[in-house]
PDB file of all heavy atoms in Angstrom:
ATOM      1  N   SER A  30     -13.445 -13.307  -3.902  1.00 97.00           N
ATOM      2  CA  SER A  30     -13.666 -14.117  -5.107  1.00 97.00           C
ATOM      3  C   SER A  30     -13.278 -13.305  -6.335  1.00 97.00           C
ATOM      4  O   SER A  30     -13.191 -12.078  -6.280  1.00 97.00           O
ATOM      5  CB  SER A  30     -15.145 -14.509  -5.199  1.00 97.00           C
ATOM      6  OG  SER A  30     -15.928 -13.366  -5.486  1.00 97.00           O
ATOM      7  N   GLN A  32     -15.167 -12.834  -8.772  1.00 95.00           N
ATOM      8  CA  GLN A  32     -16.336 -11.984  -9.026  1.00 95.00           C
ATOM      9  C   GLN A  32     -16.285 -10.710  -8.189  1.00 95.00           C
ATOM     10  O   GLN A  32     -16.882  -9.696  -8.557  1.00 95.00           O
ATOM     11  CB  GLN A  32     -17.615 -12.734  -8.712  1.00 95.00           C
ATOM     12  CG  GLN A  32     -17.941 -13.754  -9.761  1.00 95.00           C
ATOM     13  CD  GLN A  32     -19.336 -14.339  -9.567  1.00 95.00           C
ATOM     14  OE1 GLN A  32     -20.210 -13.697  -8.997  1.00 95.00           O
ATOM     15  NE2 GLN A  32     -19.519 -15.544 -10.034  1.00 95.00           N
ATOM     16  N   GLY A  33     -15.557 -10.799  -7.080  1.00 96.00           N
ATOM     17  CA  GLY A  33     -15.389  -9.615  -6.230  1.00 96.00           C
ATOM     18  C   GLY A  33     -14.662  -8.491  -6.958  1.00 96.00           C
ATOM     19  O   GLY A  33     -14.917  -7.309  -6.705  1.00 96.00           O
ATOM     20  N   ALA A  36     -17.273  -6.855  -9.087  1.00 96.00           N
ATOM     21  CA  ALA A  36     -18.156  -6.048  -8.231  1.00 96.00           C
ATOM     22  C   ALA A  36     -17.473  -4.730  -7.858  1.00 96.00           C
ATOM     23  O   ALA A  36     -18.101  -3.669  -7.837  1.00 96.00           O
ATOM     24  CB  ALA A  36     -18.527  -6.832  -6.970  1.00 96.00           C
ATOM     25  N   GLU A  37     -16.177  -4.813  -7.587  1.00 95.00           N
ATOM     26  CA  GLU A  37     -15.425  -3.606  -7.218  1.00 95.00           C
ATOM     27  C   GLU A  37     -15.411  -2.605  -8.387  1.00 95.00           C
ATOM     28  O   GLU A  37     -15.584  -1.395  -8.196  1.00 95.00           O
ATOM     29  CB  GLU A  37     -13.989  -3.990  -6.818  1.00 95.00           C
ATOM     30  CG  GLU A  37     -13.030  -2.835  -6.625  1.00 95.00           C
ATOM     31  CD  GLU A  37     -13.438  -1.836  -5.551  1.00 95.00           C
ATOM     32  OE1 GLU A  37     -14.132  -2.248  -4.599  1.00 95.00           O
ATOM     33  OE2 GLU A  37     -13.085  -0.655  -5.687  1.00 95.00           O
ATOM     34  N   ARG A  39     -17.637  -2.296 -10.710  1.00 95.00           N
ATOM     35  CA  ARG A  39     -18.972  -1.700 -10.790  1.00 95.00           C
ATOM     36  C   ARG A  39     -19.121  -0.608  -9.720  1.00 95.00           C
ATOM     37  O   ARG A  39     -19.598   0.486  -9.999  1.00 95.00           O
ATOM     38  CB  ARG A  39     -20.006  -2.803 -10.570  1.00 95.00           C
ATOM     39  CG  ARG A  39     -21.403  -2.378 -10.794  1.00 95.00           C
ATOM     40  CD  ARG A  39     -22.188  -3.366 -11.629  1.00 95.00           C
ATOM     41  NE  ARG A  39     -21.956  -4.753 -11.257  1.00 95.00           N
ATOM     42  CZ  ARG A  39     -22.905  -5.546 -10.757  1.00 95.00           C
ATOM     43  NH1 ARG A  39     -24.110  -5.069 -10.536  1.00 95.00           N
ATOM     44  NH2 ARG A  39     -22.659  -6.802 -10.496  1.00 95.00           N
ATOM     45  N   GLY A  40     -18.689  -0.924  -8.524  1.00 95.00           N
ATOM     46  CA  GLY A  40     -18.779   0.045  -7.432  1.00 95.00           C
ATOM     47  C   GLY A  40     -17.984   1.307  -7.739  1.00 95.00           C
ATOM     48  O   GLY A  40     -18.464   2.425  -7.530  1.00 95.00           O
ATOM     49  N   PHE A  43     -19.786   3.782  -9.995  1.00 96.00           N
ATOM     50  CA  PHE A  43     -20.796   4.574  -9.288  1.00 96.00           C
ATOM     51  C   PHE A  43     -20.132   5.607  -8.380  1.00 96.00           C
ATOM     52  O   PHE A  43     -20.597   6.741  -8.277  1.00 96.00           O
ATOM     53  CB  PHE A  43     -21.724   3.671  -8.466  1.00 96.00           C
ATOM     54  CG  PHE A  43     -22.776   3.005  -9.298  1.00 96.00           C
ATOM     55  CD1 PHE A  43     -22.703   1.659  -9.587  1.00 96.00           C
ATOM     56  CD2 PHE A  43     -23.832   3.737  -9.807  1.00 96.00           C
ATOM     57  CE1 PHE A  43     -23.671   1.038 -10.373  1.00 96.00           C
ATOM     58  CE2 PHE A  43     -24.806   3.144 -10.588  1.00 96.00           C
ATOM     59  CZ  PHE A  43     -24.724   1.783 -10.879  1.00 96.00           C
ATOM     60  N   ASN A  77     -18.661 -10.292   3.641  1.00 97.00           N
ATOM     61  CA  ASN A  77     -18.323 -11.149   2.496  1.00 97.00           C
ATOM     62  C   ASN A  77     -16.864 -10.903   2.102  1.00 97.00           C
ATOM     63  O   ASN A  77     -16.122 -10.213   2.807  1.00 97.00           O
ATOM     64  CB  ASN A  77     -19.312 -10.928   1.333  1.00 97.00           C
ATOM     65  CG  ASN A  77     -19.218  -9.522   0.756  1.00 97.00           C
ATOM     66  OD1 ASN A  77     -18.210  -8.826   0.890  1.00 97.00           O
ATOM     67  ND2 ASN A  77     -20.281  -9.103   0.105  1.00 97.00           N
ATOM     68  N   GLY A  78     -16.467 -11.488   0.951  1.00 98.00           N
ATOM     69  CA  GLY A  78     -15.065 -11.427   0.553  1.00 98.00           C
ATOM     70  C   GLY A  78     -14.568 -10.024   0.223  1.00 98.00           C
ATOM     71  O   GLY A  78     -13.375  -9.726   0.386  1.00 98.00           O
ATOM     72  N   ASN A  79     -15.452  -9.168  -0.270  1.00 98.00           N
ATOM     73  CA  ASN A  79     -15.044  -7.792  -0.564  1.00 98.00           C
ATOM     74  C   ASN A  79     -14.932  -6.965   0.710  1.00 98.00           C
ATOM     75  O   ASN A  79     -13.985  -6.189   0.889  1.00 98.00           O
ATOM     76  CB  ASN A  79     -16.061  -7.133  -1.511  1.00 98.00           C
ATOM     77  CG  ASN A  79     -15.926  -7.630  -2.933  1.00 98.00           C
ATOM     78  OD1 ASN A  79     -15.888  -8.846  -3.139  1.00 98.00           O
ATOM     79  ND2 ASN A  79     -15.843  -6.734  -3.895  1.00 98.00           N
ATOM     80  N   LEU A  83     -11.588  -5.080   2.167  1.00 97.00           N
ATOM     81  CA  LEU A  83     -11.546  -3.612   2.179  1.00 97.00           C
ATOM     82  C   LEU A  83     -11.539  -3.006   3.576  1.00 97.00           C
ATOM     83  O   LEU A  83     -10.848  -2.021   3.823  1.00 97.00           O
ATOM     84  CB  LEU A  83     -12.730  -3.032   1.388  1.00 97.00           C
ATOM     85  CG  LEU A  83     -12.712  -3.294  -0.121  1.00 97.00           C
ATOM     86  CD1 LEU A  83     -13.981  -2.763  -0.769  1.00 97.00           C
ATOM     87  CD2 LEU A  83     -11.473  -2.652  -0.764  1.00 97.00           C
ATOM     88  N   ASN A 102     -20.729 -14.342   5.605  1.00 95.00           N
ATOM     89  CA  ASN A 102     -21.841 -14.807   4.803  1.00 95.00           C
ATOM     90  C   ASN A 102     -21.484 -14.609   3.348  1.00 95.00           C
ATOM     91  O   ASN A 102     -21.325 -13.482   2.913  1.00 95.00           O
ATOM     92  CB  ASN A 102     -23.052 -13.945   5.161  1.00 95.00           C
ATOM     93  CG  ASN A 102     -24.268 -14.786   5.342  1.00 95.00           C
ATOM     94  OD1 ASN A 102     -24.888 -15.167   4.362  1.00 95.00           O
ATOM     95  ND2 ASN A 102     -24.564 -15.115   6.582  1.00 95.00           N
ATOM     96  N   LEU A 103     -21.339 -15.698   2.600  1.00 95.00           N
ATOM     97  CA  LEU A 103     -20.809 -15.559   1.245  1.00 95.00           C
ATOM     98  C   LEU A 103     -21.825 -15.890   0.163  1.00 95.00           C
ATOM     99  O   LEU A 103     -22.648 -16.790   0.325  1.00 95.00           O
ATOM    100  CB  LEU A 103     -19.570 -16.445   1.070  1.00 95.00           C
ATOM    101  CG  LEU A 103     -18.410 -16.156   2.016  1.00 95.00           C
ATOM    102  CD1 LEU A 103     -17.230 -17.073   1.677  1.00 95.00           C
ATOM    103  CD2 LEU A 103     -17.990 -14.700   1.952  1.00 95.00           C
ATOM    104  N   PHE A 104     -21.715 -15.170  -0.931  1.00 92.00           N
ATOM    105  CA  PHE A 104     -22.528 -15.429  -2.116  1.00 92.00           C
ATOM    106  C   PHE A 104     -22.018 -16.715  -2.768  1.00 92.00           C
ATOM    107  O   PHE A 104     -22.780 -17.613  -3.083  1.00 92.00           O
ATOM    108  CB  PHE A 104     -22.406 -14.233  -3.065  1.00 92.00           C
ATOM    109  CG  PHE A 104     -23.258 -14.333  -4.280  1.00 92.00           C
ATOM    110  CD1 PHE A 104     -24.644 -14.250  -4.178  1.00 92.00           C
ATOM    111  CD2 PHE A 104     -22.699 -14.487  -5.536  1.00 92.00           C
ATOM    112  CE1 PHE A 104     -25.446 -14.323  -5.300  1.00 92.00           C
ATOM    113  CE2 PHE A 104     -23.498 -14.571  -6.669  1.00 92.00           C
ATOM    114  CZ  PHE A 104     -24.867 -14.491  -6.557  1.00 92.00           C
ATOM    115  N   ASN A 105     -20.697 -16.779  -2.965  1.00 92.00           N
ATOM    116  CA  ASN A 105     -20.067 -18.001  -3.488  1.00 92.00           C
ATOM    117  C   ASN A 105     -19.349 -18.693  -2.340  1.00 92.00           C
ATOM    118  O   ASN A 105     -18.164 -18.485  -2.125  1.00 92.00           O
ATOM    119  CB  ASN A 105     -19.076 -17.650  -4.600  1.00 92.00           C
ATOM    120  CG  ASN A 105     -19.776 -17.066  -5.810  1.00 92.00           C
ATOM    121  OD1 ASN A 105     -20.641 -17.708  -6.400  1.00 92.00           O
ATOM    122  ND2 ASN A 105     -19.443 -15.835  -6.161  1.00 92.00           N
ATOM    123  N   ARG A 110     -12.707 -20.349   1.792  1.00 97.00           N
ATOM    124  CA  ARG A 110     -12.861 -18.900   1.895  1.00 97.00           C
ATOM    125  C   ARG A 110     -13.509 -18.503   3.231  1.00 97.00           C
ATOM    126  O   ARG A 110     -13.147 -17.501   3.834  1.00 97.00           O
ATOM    127  CB  ARG A 110     -13.636 -18.355   0.698  1.00 97.00           C
ATOM    128  CG  ARG A 110     -13.065 -17.039   0.173  1.00 97.00           C
ATOM    129  CD  ARG A 110     -13.223 -16.876  -1.328  1.00 97.00           C
ATOM    130  NE  ARG A 110     -14.593 -16.955  -1.781  1.00 97.00           N
ATOM    131  CZ  ARG A 110     -15.488 -15.957  -1.672  1.00 97.00           C
ATOM    132  NH1 ARG A 110     -15.141 -14.802  -1.141  1.00 97.00           N
ATOM    133  NH2 ARG A 110     -16.715 -16.115  -2.100  1.00 97.00           N
ATOM    134  N   LEU A 160     -22.853  -4.661   0.241  1.00 94.00           N
ATOM    135  CA  LEU A 160     -22.651  -5.320  -1.050  1.00 94.00           C
ATOM    136  C   LEU A 160     -23.397  -6.650  -1.128  1.00 94.00           C
ATOM    137  O   LEU A 160     -22.862  -7.668  -1.514  1.00 94.00           O
ATOM    138  CB  LEU A 160     -21.154  -5.595  -1.284  1.00 94.00           C
ATOM    139  CG  LEU A 160     -20.228  -4.442  -1.648  1.00 94.00           C
ATOM    140  CD1 LEU A 160     -20.087  -3.415  -0.550  1.00 94.00           C
ATOM    141  CD2 LEU A 160     -18.837  -4.943  -2.007  1.00 94.00           C
ATOM    142  N   ASP A 180     -24.409   0.139  -0.373  1.00 98.00           N
ATOM    143  CA  ASP A 180     -24.260  -0.188  -1.793  1.00 98.00           C
ATOM    144  C   ASP A 180     -24.175   1.111  -2.580  1.00 98.00           C
ATOM    145  O   ASP A 180     -25.015   1.992  -2.422  1.00 98.00           O
ATOM    146  CB  ASP A 180     -25.465  -1.022  -2.263  1.00 98.00           C
ATOM    147  CG  ASP A 180     -25.218  -1.696  -3.604  1.00 98.00           C
ATOM    148  OD1 ASP A 180     -24.651  -1.052  -4.520  1.00 98.00           O
ATOM    149  OD2 ASP A 180     -25.607  -2.869  -3.741  1.00 98.00           O
ATOM    150  N   LEU A 181     -23.157   1.212  -3.432  1.00 97.00           N
ATOM    151  CA  LEU A 181     -22.972   2.434  -4.208  1.00 97.00           C
ATOM    152  C   LEU A 181     -24.007   2.612  -5.312  1.00 97.00           C
ATOM    153  O   LEU A 181     -24.135   3.693  -5.869  1.00 97.00           O
ATOM    154  CB  LEU A 181     -21.559   2.462  -4.813  1.00 97.00           C
ATOM    155  CG  LEU A 181     -20.472   2.947  -3.841  1.00 97.00           C
ATOM    156  CD1 LEU A 181     -19.097   2.468  -4.286  1.00 97.00           C
ATOM    157  CD2 LEU A 181     -20.487   4.465  -3.724  1.00 97.00           C
ATOM    158  N   ASN A 182     -24.745   1.550  -5.629  1.00 97.00           N
ATOM    159  CA  ASN A 182     -25.766   1.659  -6.675  1.00 97.00           C
ATOM    160  C   ASN A 182     -27.149   1.850  -6.046  1.00 97.00           C
ATOM    161  O   ASN A 182     -27.719   0.903  -5.511  1.00 97.00           O
ATOM    162  CB  ASN A 182     -25.746   0.395  -7.539  1.00 97.00           C
ATOM    163  CG  ASN A 182     -26.816   0.420  -8.617  1.00 97.00           C
ATOM    164  OD1 ASN A 182     -27.537   1.410  -8.767  1.00 97.00           O
ATOM    165  ND2 ASN A 182     -26.913  -0.674  -9.355  1.00 97.00           N
ATOM    166  N   ASP A 197     -22.982   4.736  -0.477  1.00 98.00           N
ATOM    167  CA  ASP A 197     -21.654   5.292  -0.218  1.00 98.00           C
ATOM    168  C   ASP A 197     -20.646   4.146  -0.349  1.00 98.00           C
ATOM    169  O   ASP A 197     -21.025   2.965  -0.261  1.00 98.00           O
ATOM    170  CB  ASP A 197     -21.606   5.855   1.215  1.00 98.00           C
ATOM    171  CG  ASP A 197     -20.480   6.867   1.417  1.00 98.00           C
ATOM    172  OD1 ASP A 197     -19.779   7.214   0.435  1.00 98.00           O
ATOM    173  OD2 ASP A 197     -20.301   7.323   2.571  1.00 98.00           O
ATOM    174  N   ASN A 198     -19.381   4.509  -0.546  1.00 97.00           N
ATOM    175  CA  ASN A 198     -18.344   3.478  -0.590  1.00 97.00           C
ATOM    176  C   ASN A 198     -18.201   2.879   0.808  1.00 97.00           C
ATOM    177  O   ASN A 198     -18.144   3.613   1.803  1.00 97.00           O
ATOM    178  CB  ASN A 198     -17.021   4.094  -1.051  1.00 97.00           C
ATOM    179  CG  ASN A 198     -16.031   3.036  -1.492  1.00 97.00           C
ATOM    180  OD1 ASN A 198     -15.906   1.981  -0.855  1.00 97.00           O
ATOM    181  ND2 ASN A 198     -15.345   3.299  -2.582  1.00 97.00           N
ATOM    182  N   ILE A 199     -18.109   1.562   0.876  1.00 97.00           N
ATOM    183  CA  ILE A 199     -17.986   0.897   2.178  1.00 97.00           C
ATOM    184  C   ILE A 199     -16.762   1.418   2.948  1.00 97.00           C
ATOM    185  O   ILE A 199     -16.772   1.474   4.177  1.00 97.00           O
ATOM    186  CB  ILE A 199     -17.930  -0.638   2.004  1.00 97.00           C
ATOM    187  CG1 ILE A 199     -18.011  -1.291   3.362  1.00 97.00           C
ATOM    188  CG2 ILE A 199     -16.718  -1.076   1.224  1.00 97.00           C
ATOM    189  CD1 ILE A 199     -18.169  -2.760   3.331  1.00 97.00           C
TER     190      ILE A 199
HETATM  191  O1  PTJ B   1     -17.555 -12.824  -1.268  1.00 56.84           O
HETATM  192  P1  PTJ B   1     -18.855 -13.268  -1.853  1.00 56.84           P
HETATM  193  O2  PTJ B   1     -18.794 -14.665  -2.410  1.00 56.84           O
HETATM  194  O3  PTJ B   1     -20.004 -13.147  -0.881  1.00 56.84           O
HETATM  195  O4  PTJ B   1     -19.219 -12.328  -3.107  1.00 56.84           O
HETATM  196  C1  PTJ B   1     -19.352 -10.927  -2.931  1.00 56.84           C
HETATM  197  C2  PTJ B   1     -19.764 -10.203  -4.232  1.00 56.84           C
HETATM  198  C3  PTJ B   1     -19.698  -8.712  -3.962  1.00 56.84           C
HETATM  199  C4  PTJ B   1     -18.803 -10.593  -5.348  1.00 56.84           C
HETATM  200  C5  PTJ B   1     -21.197 -10.646  -4.609  1.00 56.84           C
HETATM  201  O5  PTJ B   1     -22.063 -10.361  -3.556  1.00 56.84           O
HETATM  202  C6  PTJ B   1     -21.671  -9.981  -5.892  1.00 56.84           C
HETATM  203  O6  PTJ B   1     -21.506 -10.476  -6.997  1.00 56.84           O
HETATM  204  O7  PTJ B   1     -22.243  -8.783  -5.737  1.00 56.84           O
HETATM  205  P2  PTJ B   1     -22.827  -7.889  -6.945  1.00 56.84           P
HETATM  206  O8  PTJ B   1     -24.123  -8.476  -7.415  1.00 56.84           O
HETATM  207  O9  PTJ B   1     -21.749  -7.577  -7.932  1.00 56.84           O
HETATM  208  O10 PTJ B   1     -23.206  -6.556  -6.188  1.00 56.84           O
HETATM  209  C7  PTJ B   1     -22.247  -5.785  -5.565  1.00 56.84           C
HETATM  210  C8  PTJ B   1     -22.836  -4.386  -5.342  1.00 56.84           C
HETATM  211  O11 PTJ B   1     -21.944  -3.694  -4.487  1.00 56.84           O
HETATM  212  C9  PTJ B   1     -22.948  -3.547  -6.633  1.00 56.84           C
HETATM  213  O12 PTJ B   1     -24.184  -2.873  -6.631  1.00 56.84           O
HETATM  214  C10 PTJ B   1     -21.797  -2.537  -6.522  1.00 56.84           C
HETATM  215  O13 PTJ B   1     -22.145  -1.288  -7.073  1.00 56.84           O
HETATM  216  C11 PTJ B   1     -21.624  -2.421  -5.015  1.00 56.84           C
HETATM  217  N1  PTJ B   1     -20.238  -2.124  -4.605  1.00 56.84           N
HETATM  218  C12 PTJ B   1     -19.093  -2.610  -5.131  1.00 56.84           C
HETATM  219  N2  PTJ B   1     -18.007  -2.130  -4.480  1.00 56.84           N
HETATM  220  C13 PTJ B   1     -18.500  -1.332  -3.479  1.00 56.84           C
HETATM  221  C14 PTJ B   1     -19.931  -1.329  -3.565  1.00 56.84           C
HETATM  222  N3  PTJ B   1     -20.688  -0.641  -2.706  1.00 56.84           N
HETATM  223  C15 PTJ B   1     -20.051   0.068  -1.744  1.00 56.84           C
HETATM  224  N4  PTJ B   1     -18.702   0.118  -1.608  1.00 56.84           N
HETATM  225  C16 PTJ B   1     -17.890  -0.564  -2.451  1.00 56.84           C
HETATM  226  N5  PTJ B   1     -16.561  -0.504  -2.319  1.00 56.84           N
END
Side-chain angles (χ1 to χ4, degrees):
S30 70
Q32 285 190 26
E37 171 60 28
R39 187 134 43 116
F43 281 107
N77 65 22
N79 285 50
L83 293 176
N102 225 280
L103 301 183
F104 184 69
N105 294 301
R110 221 147 57 78
L160 286 65
D180 195 318
L181 278 159
N182 178 4
D197 200 5
N198 196 319
I199 188 171

